[in-house]
Amino acid sequence: IRAENVMSSRVVTLHAGESIRKAAAILLEKGISGAPVLGAKGKPVGVLTKTDIARYERDRVTIRDADQEAMRTLGTLEAIGQDAGLHPESEDDKISEWMTPKVIAVDKTAPVAQVIREMLERHIHRVFVRDDKSDRLCGVITSFDILRFVEAFLDGHPGPRKQRVVGPASNK
């Protein structure tokens, strides 16, 4: 069984220059936990996941959350935040600043066992699938896709399955 037999096709993509807020909205709207990030030339440059967004939320500081009586000036608040490695909330925070700057992908002809090894060794929940001939992403295999495959195998139906569509190929 090959990756193309287990993958979900039509991957939802994000763009490096988009805001974190827009990315979070897309992930929620599509009901997915992560997506590849494309650079200016349309090539994958990273992955943004709910974990990356949670890290962003944890690390940002907003003035409305600060104890105003303890802080005398905005300058003091900003200085304390910067000293702690934090930053004020900004609509300009880009995906490229918070994404994981690596895309783990296998060719569509890779054995499913290789995909499972990649996920286990790297402690990741998704592996992207590419067509080596066109050098384009053509699908994604998530932990849930692997569980569906195992379920089918245990039920005696380990053959190729119908491809499930996750979302539009792009959200431009």
Side-chain angles (χ1 to χ4, degrees):
I1 303 291
R2 300 181 308 193
E4 65 188 339
N5 303 122
V6 179
M7 72 182 193
S8 299
S9 59
R10 296 186 61 202
V11 180
V12 173
T13 59
L14 302 170
H15 300 276
E18 291 176 329
S19 74
I20 288 287
R21 288 188 180 278
K22 181 176 180 184
I26 290 168
L27 295 182
L28 284 171
E29 176 187 319
K30 301 296 182 187
I32 58 176
S33 62
V37 178
L38 305 180
K41 296 182 180 181
K43 296 284 186 189
V45 295
V47 177
L48 187 76
T49 67
K50 285 183 179 179
T51 302
D52 296 320
I53 293 171
R55 186 171 41 88
Y56 165 78
E57 288 296 327
R58 180 199 66 201
D59 288 355
R60 74 183 174 100
V61 174
T62 60
I63 294 170
R64 70 177 178 273
D65 293 338
D67 180 359
Q68 294 298 323
E69 291 181 26
M71 302 294 157
R72 294 187 182 196
T73 66
L74 177 60
T76 302
L77 177 62
E78 289 176 346
I80 290 170
Q82 288 173 353
D83 287 346
L86 305 175
H87 66 282
E89 179 179 8
S90 170
E91 292 296 323
D92 296 331
D93 286 333
K94 302 294 181 210
I95 292 171
S96 59
E97 299 167 30
W98 293 94
M99 69 183 187
T100 302
K102 185 167 183 143
V103 177
I104 306 301
V106 297
D107 183 64
K108 67 182 183 178
T109 62
V112 171
Q114 177 187 343
V115 173
I116 293 169
R117 271 192 303 278
E118 288 285 341
M119 293 172 84
L120 290 171
E121 289 173 6
R122 296 175 185 272
H123 303 281
I124 56 177
H125 298 279
R126 73 194 51 75
V127 171
F128 294 97
V129 181
R130 71 178 177 276
D131 181 345
D132 277 350
K133 291 178 185 173
S134 67
D135 196 31
R136 295 248 200 236
L137 293 181
C138 60
V140 60
I141 299 175
T142 68
S143 303
F144 286 110
D145 294 317
I146 297 298
L147 288 172
R148 279 187 209 90
F149 170 74
V150 170
E151 177 190 34
F153 179 81
L154 294 175
D155 284 345
H157 308 291
R161 68 176 178 86
K162 238 182 182 177
Q163 290 189 356
R164 182 175 58 90
V165 175
V166 172
S170 179
N171 21 308
K172 290 182 183 180

